Amino acid sequence: MKSTHLSPIERGILTSSYKREIRNNIRNMKADSLSRIKESILYQYANSLNSTVEILRVSFILVAIFIIVA
């Protein structure tokens, strides 16, 4: 026989084990979302760093050409 003493979270149509599974899935989704955000930030940082390096290389080559020509 089922217990009639249920916490407010476990009341309703859904069973407690199903609700527990849903809570775990939500918790895992949040963790996945945070890791995706972190990866996105790191990817953007790496891309901006690569762009900065390319700009420095091109400007160094241009300065070297100007020095040679002048």
Side-chain angles (χ1 to χ4, degrees):
M1 190 163 174
K2 264 184 134 173
S3 170
T4 57
H5 184 304
L6 298 173
S7 70
I9 295 174
E10 295 176 345
R11 288 186 195 149
I13 298 173
L14 303 176
T15 63
S16 61
S17 62
Y18 182 72
K19 288 181 182 181
R20 189 171 31 254
E21 183 180 342
I22 296 296
R23 282 193 299 269
N24 288 336
N25 288 343
I26 290 172
R27 193 175 302 124
N28 291 339
M29 283 180 6
K30 286 180 183 178
D32 288 344
S33 296
L34 290 175
S35 65
R36 282 190 205 130
I37 291 170
K38 181 181 174 184
E39 287 175 8
S40 173
I41 290 170
L42 291 174
Y43 179 76
Q44 290 173 358
Y45 174 74
N47 280 345
S48 66
L49 186 62
N50 287 338
S51 298
T52 305
V53 168
E54 287 300 318
I55 291 170
L56 288 173
R57 284 181 185 162
V58 170
S59 58
F60 178 74
I61 291 170
L62 289 175
V63 168
I65 290 172
F66 287 136
I67 290 174
I68 291 172
V69 172

